[in-house]
Structures are given as structure tokens and as C-alpha cells.
Amino acid sequence: MIKDLIIKSRSCRRFHQDVAVSTEILRELIELARLSPSAGNYQPLKYILSNKPDANSKIFPCLAWAGYLKDWPGPDEGERPAAYIVMLGDTRITNKFLCNHGVAAQSILLGAVEKGLGGCIIASLNLEKLRENLSIPSYFEILQVLALGKPKETVVIEEIASDGDIKYWRDQNGTHHVPKRPLNDLIIR
Ligand SMILES: Cc1cc2nc3c(=O)[nH]c(=O)nc-3n(C[C@H](O)[C@H](O)[C@H](O)COP(=O)(O)O)c2cc1C
């Protein structure tokens, strides 16, 4: 059921770093993005796949994790993503990427969950450092990074509290809680 898959597809930020994500699996996930909608059918998204410790170590320091968890700087060594997909916009095709990368990311993340993996969209990036570390040519716009791996954390959805606070939090057991607004608050008519 699509709803079950979407409920399961929570942003995951702690992983079993030693469980590899193969290049074949990453390619299968990009295939899902390839088949997804694209504005004007320009298909300007390009991808850098990374699943080796050396390459991964060039990406990790460029990412900002879970802004609301002020005391948590991001996953420790051993709990970091086993793979990344760096999503790029090819400005030689168009410079209007609109929501293409959001659509593609959701296809990839749902596919990842179906395969027993988890992931997180990271858009808060040190763009300069990432471009330099990966030698990304200037005609690519860096759009976002997907962090992927075998999940090592539990993430649950909560009804939003009456104070309306949308900040996610982690309890004493390490479970990550994500408040979602109720359906009736979203549909205005
Ligand atoms: C466009 C976009 C950008 C995001 N950027 C980051 C990010 O830079 N760092 C991070 O830790 N999470 C990031 N997230 C994950 C959100 O924090 C997460 O989706 C939100 O807390 C709700 O949790 P859920 O995905 O489990 O529903 C991003 C999500 C989206 C859709």
C-alpha cells in the first residue's frame, strides 16, 4: 500500500554505516528518478553516486543535520550514511529546476524504503566545499544530497500538539518524533 510506504518513509539520520549500499542498488534508485515527472520533460537532473568510505568522507563534512536538535551535531562515526546521491541540475539543459529534484527525491526515498533502506534529503549544504571536494563543474547546480543506508533509528509520526509546535524531537530512548499537522488544517476548502 502506498500509504504504508509513505508512513514508513521517514527522514532517517542514523545508519548502520558498515552495511554497504551497492552501486547496483543506487542505480536502481536512480532508475526510479529517471521515470519520474520532469517539468517540460527537460530531465535536467544528474547524479553523483557515492558508496565508498573514501568518497563518502568527502561528502559528510558538507552536510548540516537536524537543525532542531541543537545538541546533536549529526551522526557519529559508525552511524553515518553508507551511501549518498548528490543531485545536480545541468544548466546546459535548463536553469529552471523547479520542484524536479523534490519529485525525484521522493521516488528515490520510497524506493529505498521498499528495499529496507532509509534516507534523508539534505538541502542545508556547504555548497562551495562540496563542489570543491567532488570537483563538480560549474555548469552543474548542486540541488541537494540524499543520505542513504540501513536505518539505525526509529522515527514515528505524532499529531501536532495544541501549541502548534512543528519541531521534531528525540526522546530518552533515542526515538525521533515528527509532528504532522492534522488533515483538516491543510484542506482549506
Ligand atoms: C527539501 C528538504 C530539505 C531538507 N533538508 C534537510 C537538511 O538539510 N538536514 C536534515 O537533517 N534534514 C533535512 N530535511 C528533512 C526534514 O527535516 C524532514 O523531512 C522533516 O523533519 C519531517 O520529517 P519526515 O521526513 O520524517 O516527515 C529536508 C527535507 C526536505 C523535504
Side-chain angles (χ1 to χ4, degrees):
M1 290 291 286
I2 187 68
K3 188 176 178 189
D4 295 333
L5 198 59
I6 289 174
I7 288 172
K8 211 169 157 199
S9 182
R10 304 272 52 84
S11 292
C12 173
R13 300 180 178 88
R14 286 175 291 172
F15 304 90
H16 293 277
Q17 192 173 336
D18 55 342
V19 179
V21 180
S22 68
T23 302
E24 192 190 345
I25 283 185
L26 292 176
R27 288 180 63 90
E28 284 171 18
L29 296 176
I30 301 303
E31 173 69 354
L32 302 179
R34 185 179 79 83
L35 298 172
S36 297
S38 173
N41 205 26
Y42 280 113
Q43 303 164 68
L45 300 182
K46 302 284 170 73
Y47 306 89
I48 294 174
L49 311 182
S50 175
N51 58 356
K52 304 281 181 304
D54 251 20
N56 287 352
S57 69
K58 293 183 179 160
I59 298 174
F60 180 79
C62 306
L63 315 178
W65 296 88
Y68 294 139
L69 304 182
K70 295 292 176 207
D71 300 331
W72 188 67
D76 286 331
E77 185 63 42
E79 297 190 334
R80 292 181 182 164
Y84 298 96
I85 295 172
V86 181
M87 300 182 66
L88 307 171
D90 192 337
T91 63
R92 296 170 301 178
I93 297 174
T94 179
N95 55 12
K96 291 193 180 71
F97 302 110
L98 302 165
C99 61
N100 288 330
H101 41 302
V103 172
Q106 182 69 346
S107 295
I108 291 170
L109 291 172
L110 290 175
V113 169
E114 194 191 48
K115 291 176 187 301
L117 299 171
C120 188
I121 300 173
I122 307 283
S124 184
L125 300 166
N126 183 333
L127 292 172
E128 271 181 23
K129 193 168 171 176
L130 187 60
R131 188 177 290 283
E132 191 188 318
N133 285 3
L134 300 186
S135 305
I136 297 173
S138 58
Y139 50 79
F140 289 125
E141 187 175 322
I142 301 172
L143 299 169
Q144 60 196 13
V145 173
L146 303 183
L148 294 162
K150 185 178 174 219
K152 202 186 173 183
E153 70 176 355
T154 306
V155 183
V156 293
I157 292 177
E158 303 289 346
E159 273 281 291
I160 220 153
S162 51
D163 61 6
D165 193 355
I166 47 71
K167 292 189 193 73
Y168 46 77
W169 78 93
R170 219 176 258 173
D171 66 26
Q172 64 272 30
N173 300 319
T175 299
H176 184 95
H177 298 259
V178 183
K180 296 284 182 191
R181 298 187 200 280
L183 189 61
N184 284 342
D185 284 9
L186 307 185
I187 300 170
I188 54 170
R189 188 173 295 152

